[in-house]
Amino acid sequence: MAVGYRADGPPATLPRAPGATVLAVRALRCWLVMYRRTWRGSAWTSVFGPLFYLGAMGYGLGSLVDKNGTAALGGVPYVVFVAPAVLCVQAMNTGMSASLYPVFGSLRWNAVYLAARATTLRPADICRGHVLFMALRIAMNSACFIVFMAAFGLIRSAWGVLLLPAALLTGLAFATPTAACVITVRREASLNYPVRFGAVPLMLFSGTFFPVTRLPGWIRPVAYATPLWHGAALCRALSTGTAFASTGDAASAAIHVCYLTGLSALGLWLGGRTYRGRLYV
Amino acid sequence: MRARGLTKRFGGFTAVDGIDFDLFRGEAFGFLGPNGAGKSSTMRMLGCVSPPSAGELTILNGDPVRDGPAIRSRLGVVPQEDTLDSELTVRENLLVYGRYFGLPRRLIDERTDQLLEFVQLTERAGDQVEPLSGGMKRRLTIARSLINDPDILILDEPTTGLDPQARHVVWDRLYNLKQRGVTLVLTTHYMDEAEQLCDRLVVMDHAAIVAAGTPRDLIARYSTPEVLELRFAPGAQEVAAEKIKDLSPERLEVTANRILVYAADGDEFLARVHAAGIEALTELVRRSTLEDVFLHLTGRTLVD
């Protein structure tokens, strides 16, 4: 066994540390080793949960909604209206669940972060590697759901091929800011708040199950400011084909993309700082 | 490794207060001190996971703040609290750790076999970490810290919390590494651990270094060759201490439950104690240890 800095060995010279991308991918690969152990359980809930939602809301409730006319929904059946939003809700939920307890636990329970920080990785690499893994989870769950949407004929436009990146962006807009904040959290109970006061109201009032125009006027601007509204509006425009119907529609789509990208990037930047504040003190 | 005026502050609290030391290649260097002396904060700075608040620190010719990732890639670290992933198997823990260092899979597998053999965990390679005993987990952490073939191995209290038998297995493995010429830095509050493993050590107390040298030097400088330990019946200790003082020993320490008499020749002094008509419950003549050095330097014992 060749180990150590021996009295008779060559003088120590420091190797060059690899770049940020290489280090983030190293962290991601380690998450994949750990994921091999748990993917079955998480796949079940994340694939079938949204499918049940789609069945109950889209087809069950939808059959009642459609009887009253679909003009307010843009002239498409309710299930077509609601499916892209359910996709975004799933992306949001995956993004949140992949960043809340896993980030907290990596510091408190199984000490993944503490083990990683003793190696070549810097706190920012640990953060980025974990975010890459979250992105992978969001993309996998979204891809499954998009396949179901296509199979049920709920994607009405060729722009639907962009649903995957759009859903990924929506999920990341939740995952990166959540991860950046959770790393600073000290009490486990605090982790309930983002779901109770964030994800649940957003799921209900962000133009997901009904158009925001049905809300009272004073609350609409709040809905327009939420990332889920941007994600749902973008995905809906892509799947129904209105995204690039006019210059105005294209501009809206561009705003949605910029908003979601900006929020994801902000979370990633903030995460670099908060991770450092927690892992390098 | 070289430190000058190395300081660590957390807000208004000074955990490490301007310590100086040099570590040379191939030696085993120890930080001996009670809990809260600043040993772990020092280890975190040496491990480049905590920036020094003041002073200079050079590790492997690099600056820990600027070259942190490069230095860490050449260090092996055994933290005080195990940071193993208990849901993974023994082998997977080494795989994950090797990946953090960017090692190719084949090399990781090869080293894993060697290292598990070295720490006597080959039979447990496919088992989950969770049910392993404390001693096994510590040995696995040691194996894991060697996966990148480090230049320096840093161990923060490697045997704290282990039962005596498990401690001896860990000591045996560390002694083996030392024999192979691996550079070791370790902290401990066990003086026997420090005596067995360290070529040189510093004694830390209240965030500062109070003495430095080889174990033998320190004992020669701060203690007598032998110590006479006397225990008395409850209440009888104080009276006995006064009487022993009259025999003018080199030094006398009275702790909560025993009297320590420092003398060049313990048996000879014991004969004088007997001659003076002082009867103790138990009498023990032993060689001086680092515990005595610590007691002399700080007036307190290392472990409560």
Side-chain angles (χ1 to χ4, degrees), chain B residues 108-142:
Chain B
I108 296 175
D109 285 343
E110 200 177 292
R111 284 190 186 160
T112 297
D113 291 337
Q114 292 171 355
L115 290 168
L116 289 183
E117 173 130 18
F118 175 67
V119 297
Q120 298 151 11
L121 283 174
T122 305
E123 292 78 42
R124 309 302 297 263
D127 295 356
Q128 241 176 284
V129 167
E130 173 78 66
L132 297 187
S133 70
M136 287 178 176
K137 283 183 185 168
R138 197 56 58 88
R139 267 144 54 202
L140 176 57
T141 305
I142 292 172

Side-chain angles (χ1 to χ4, degrees), chain B residues 11-253:
Chain B
F13 172 70
T14 304
V16 180
D17 194 4
I19 62 171
D20 302 339
F21 61 86
D22 291 278
L23 165 75
F24 304 105
R25 53 162 47 191
E27 77 174 342
F29 189 84
F31 289 81
L32 177 69
N35 289 328
K39 306 190 302 291
S40 291
S41 297
T42 305
M43 288 304 110
R44 277 198 292 276
M45 287 191 280
L46 300 187
C48 307
V49 296
S50 169
S53 308
E56 55 174 276
L57 178 64
T58 310
I59 303 170
L60 298 169
N61 297 320
D63 169 5
V65 176
R66 193 192 58 206
D67 311 317
I71 296 172
R72 286 197 301 271
S73 75
R74 299 308 314 138
L75 298 180
V77 177
V78 177
Q80 195 172 339
E81 308 269 327
D82 286 324
T83 58
L84 298 166
D85 191 328
S86 56
E87 286 172 17
L88 297 182
T89 65
V90 166
R91 185 172 274 280
E92 283 170 334
N93 262 281
L94 289 167
L95 171 63
V96 165
Y97 213 64
R99 283 260 168 86
Y100 283 140
F101 289 106
L103 304 176
R105 177 67 186 256
R106 223 171 46 127
L107 184 62
I108 296 175
D109 285 343
E110 200 177 292
R111 284 190 186 160
T112 297
D113 291 337
Q114 292 171 355
L115 290 168
L116 289 183
E117 173 130 18
F118 175 67
V119 297
Q120 298 151 11
L121 283 174
T122 305
E123 292 78 42
R124 309 302 297 263
D127 295 356
Q128 241 176 284
V129 167
E130 173 78 66
L132 297 187
S133 70
M136 287 178 176
K137 283 183 185 168
R138 197 56 58 88
R139 267 144 54 202
L140 176 57
T141 305
I142 292 172
R144 191 180 67 167
S145 72
L146 294 169
I147 195 85
N148 60 327
D149 186 17
D151 289 329
I152 303 174
L153 186 59
I154 296 175
L155 306 115
D156 194 2
E157 307 212 350
T159 65
T160 297
L162 300 187
D163 61 60
Q165 199 191 347
R167 283 174 74 192
H168 279 282
V169 179
V170 170
W171 281 347
D172 174 62
R173 295 297 84 194
L174 294 180
Y175 193 75
N176 192 302
L177 286 175
K178 178 173 136 76
Q179 293 298 93
R180 292 164 190 239
V182 176
T183 308
L184 298 176
V185 183
L186 64 104
T187 69
T188 180
H189 57 236
Y190 296 120
M191 46 97 191
D192 43 352
E193 185 162 294
E195 274 185 46
Q196 282 202 31
L197 293 173
C198 300
D199 300 317
R200 281 194 313 130
L201 57 94
V202 294
V203 180
M204 276 189 92
D205 189 38
H206 293 312
I209 290 176
V210 290
T214 67
R216 193 184 274 188
D217 271 353
L218 288 170
I219 291 168
R221 218 181 320 155
Y222 298 104
S223 191
T224 53
E226 292 191 330
V227 186
L228 172 60
E229 280 196 26
L230 300 171
R231 281 175 201 270
F232 292 90
Q237 183 164 286
E238 273 177 43
V239 183
E242 287 306 315
K243 286 189 189 166
I244 295 170
K245 254 183 211 161
D246 294 340
L247 300 175
S248 57
E250 271 194 57
R251 200 158 62 82
L252 184 79
E253 294 278 358

Side-chain angles (χ1 to χ4, degrees), chain A residues 1-221:
Chain A
M1 189 175 57
V3 167
Y5 179 32
R6 290 146 204 287
D8 55 352
T13 46
L14 283 179
R16 279 170 64 95
T21 315
V22 173
L23 293 177
V25 170
R26 276 186 198 174
L28 168 67
R29 292 186 71 186
C30 292
W31 279 106
L32 293 178
V33 174
M34 301 175 227
Y35 189 53
R36 280 208 307 238
R37 222 153 249 288
T38 52
W39 70 273
R40 284 176 198 85
S42 67
W44 182 260
T45 44
S46 49
V47 171
F48 289 97
L51 213 54
F52 293 154
Y53 250 103
L54 191 65
M57 305 295 287
Y59 291 103
L61 190 65
S63 66
L64 294 175
V65 174
D66 290 345
K67 280 182 188 152
N68 280 325
T70 56
L73 306 175
V76 295
Y78 184 68
V79 66
V80 173
F81 171 85
V82 87
V86 174
L87 170 68
C88 286
V89 168
Q90 185 203 30
M92 168 181 80
N93 285 338
T94 309
M96 298 270 276
S97 66
S99 56
L100 280 167
Y101 287 92
V103 168
F104 188 80
S106 296
L107 198 58
R108 304 282 170 165
W109 300 328
N110 55 12
V112 171
Y113 287 170
L114 298 181
R117 74 166 177 176
T119 70
T120 320
L121 306 190
R122 295 162 299 181
D125 304 316
I126 295 172
C127 174
R128 290 186 203 118
H130 203 165
V131 166
L132 279 178
F133 178 67
M134 294 169 200
L136 192 74
R137 294 284 319 280
I138 297 165
M140 281 164 56
N141 287 352
S142 300
C144 280
F145 192 78
I146 291 166
V147 168
F148 284 124
M149 281 172 71
F152 287 106
L154 306 180
I155 302 175
R156 297 294 170 91
S157 156
W159 290 114
V161 296
L162 294 179
L163 277 173
L164 183 60
L168 174 60
L169 211 50
T170 308
L172 281 176
F174 285 95
T176 64
T178 306
C181 296
V182 168
I183 191 82
T184 65
V185 165
R186 289 174 192 275
R187 283 175 52 243
E188 189 185 334
S190 314
L191 299 184
N192 291 323
Y193 300 137
V195 175
R196 205 177 295 157
F197 301 112
V200 170
L202 281 182
M203 176 182 83
L204 297 173
F205 300 108
S206 298
T208 40
F209 301 118
F210 54 89
V212 173
T213 48
R214 299 284 136 160
L215 288 171
W218 58 270
I219 207 169
R220 277 180 225 159

